[in-house]
Amino acid sequence: MKLIFTFLKPYKAAAVAAFSLMLTELAAELLLPYFLGRMINEGVLAKDMDRISFWGGIMIGTALLSFAAGILNSFYSAHVSYAFGYDLRSSLFRKVQSFSCSTLNKYPPSALITRFTNDIRQIQNTVFMSLRIMAKAPLTVIGGVIMAFVVNGRLAAVFFITVPVLIGFLYWVFKVSRGMFRNMQDRVDKLNRVMQENLAGMRIIKAFWRRDYERIRFERANEDLSRATRTAFQFIEASSPVLFFVMNMSLAAILWFGSQQIGSGQTNVGQVVSVVNYALRVSMSMSMFSFIITSFSRTKASADRIGEIMRIRDVSEETGAADPNLAVTKGKAEFRHVTFSFPDKDEPVLKDISFTVNPGEKLAIIGATGAGKTSLFLLLPRLFDVQSGEILIDDTPITAYPVKNLRDGIGFIPQTPFLFSGTIRENIAWGNTKAAEEEIIRAAEDAQIHAAICNFPDRYDTRVGQKGVNLSGGQKQRISIARALVRKPKILLMDDSTSALDAETESRLLEAIRRYRCTTILITQKISTARMADKICLIDDGRIAALGTHEDLLEASPLYRKIAESQSGKEWHYAR
Ligand code: TTP
Ligand code: MG
């Protein structure tokens, strides 16, 4: 909560202005019943027209002042809350961007999106309402009670009993409801997750005819949310009749004591009218308390959820870089006894991996599904850090490089291509924002996608749907290759990136990549692809089972032989 409100600091002046205007408005409002009492006593009861116009004029002036202060206050409150929301959102975005993959693993996108939208909006509204009306309610209660005392202390004594009782009661309501609202926000996360998956997976849902299944899943999340919301609001709502009851009782008590005092000549009608007027204002403000409590409980829950993200100290990305200018120059990659497990798991996915790829060399990694090939790729750009052993690039541990320089030297082609919404040109240039048009086209040609792009109606300006829906799997793969090539990387990592290509296109692609003279590590399932590399590394269950040329491996590794035979049995038999 405290952390979140440090974001208000830059707007202190405007907030103070808003607050002072609110105080002006409040003071004017609190003076009105007092003036009314005076007008009744000195004007109406004394039948003095001059006094009536005098107090009437003062009342009109005061009302206008309160009106003007109110309008200006809205203006400042809106300014503060929107600027605050903007800053908070930007800062949260930067924070989330700085997270390492292991931290991001813990928060599903839906939970983060809810924080960006729902939670921030909630806090923003509360900031606005606090400056506008929320802080006014408790001050009206205090000011009203004080003014009532000034007018007639004995009548106002009734407040001494009711106000503390109500404050105690409201505090209890606030504490209980906070947990309920946190629960509610978590359900919003869950509903968003189901929604998101449902929209993203629309095709497969239709293809499997799982509409009903998904509807039930959605309804369950929806019901959970509405149950949590209902519980919270019912609880809050139940508190307002209690408030009204206590306040009405105190009004009745004031009127009863008041009439007795008038009877015995201790007070006059004007004073009773003033105190009753104050009591009405106090009870009106009290009735706003259930709304205020709702807002504050919800805001507390939302602020905690955002604070939880803001407080994460994620150091792994930026540690260790001694020399800020250290960059990848040659592209030699070396693994030394690397053992790695994902942060949330105990069992290592890679065990004692050692190999070296010299600059410009091509290494193929082959192995069964789930063997740990993709995991191995994630380690080179330091998307995850190893538990033991060491990875070196150009004979320097990768932890010694500034992360940006390290990643600048690497062209990473993920197993599942991901395209951003925008044009094809934008998607390729995303790899290197400084690339000139010829370089973009060159990369596309080398990725064997230029011809296909030229056949699109808008060529390089063709828009890619939010997830590249209007492209085939192989086209997406090749755009994602072009995006890596346009970086002119020293080390190219291709994770099964030619799986959707026919043999001829694939060999043209690998030929083109040769011209980049970069170190290439490619994961593949196909022996025919692996053979084109200088060396092949066979991974089996997280360990290196064999390392060498195709011929070496056929000789030495029964597992490799088995894979080779299963893929093109006869050919290898005859070849040997
Ligand atoms: P991968 O490294 O993804 O296996 P792979 O790339 O060899 O398999 P495929 O040919 O199918 O692409 O996974 C190895 C193990 O690590 C597997 O048990 C899943 C686990 N894993 C995670 O827990 N988190 C991750 O982010 C990844 C990539 C894998
Ligand atoms: Mg993989």
Side-chain angles (χ1 to χ4, degrees), residues 373-374 415 495:
K373 307 182 295 296
T374 297
Q415 189 163 15
D495 193 344

Side-chain angles (χ1 to χ4, degrees), residues 92-129:
L92 186 66
F93 186 74
R94 277 197 298 274
K95 183 79 193 179
V96 169
Q97 273 201 320
S98 78
F99 284 163
S100 67
C101 294
S102 17
T103 308
L104 285 172
N105 265 358
K106 288 190 211 118
Y107 293 92
S110 53
L112 294 174
I113 289 172
T114 318
R115 284 169 170 85
F116 274 106
T117 51
N118 220 310
D119 286 319
I120 290 191
R121 200 166 48 237
Q122 177 62 41
I123 301 176
Q124 200 174 13
N125 285 347
T126 302
V127 168
F128 177 76
M129 298 302 261

Side-chain angles (χ1 to χ4, degrees), residues 105 342 344-345 349-350 367-376 378 384 415 495-496 523 525 539:
N105 265 358
F342 283 99
D344 41 354
K345 309 219 176 87
V349 290
L350 293 172
T369 169
K373 307 182 295 296
T374 297
S375 311
L376 191 142
L378 299 178
F384 288 94
Q415 189 163 15
D495 193 344
D496 219 3
I523 291 175
Q525 303 278 3
I539 297 209

Side-chain angles (χ1 to χ4, degrees), residues 455-467:
N455 279 331
F456 292 141
D458 295 326
R459 298 165 65 97
Y460 279 83
D461 291 315
T462 308
R463 293 196 73 82
V464 180
Q466 232 177 10
K467 281 190 131 191

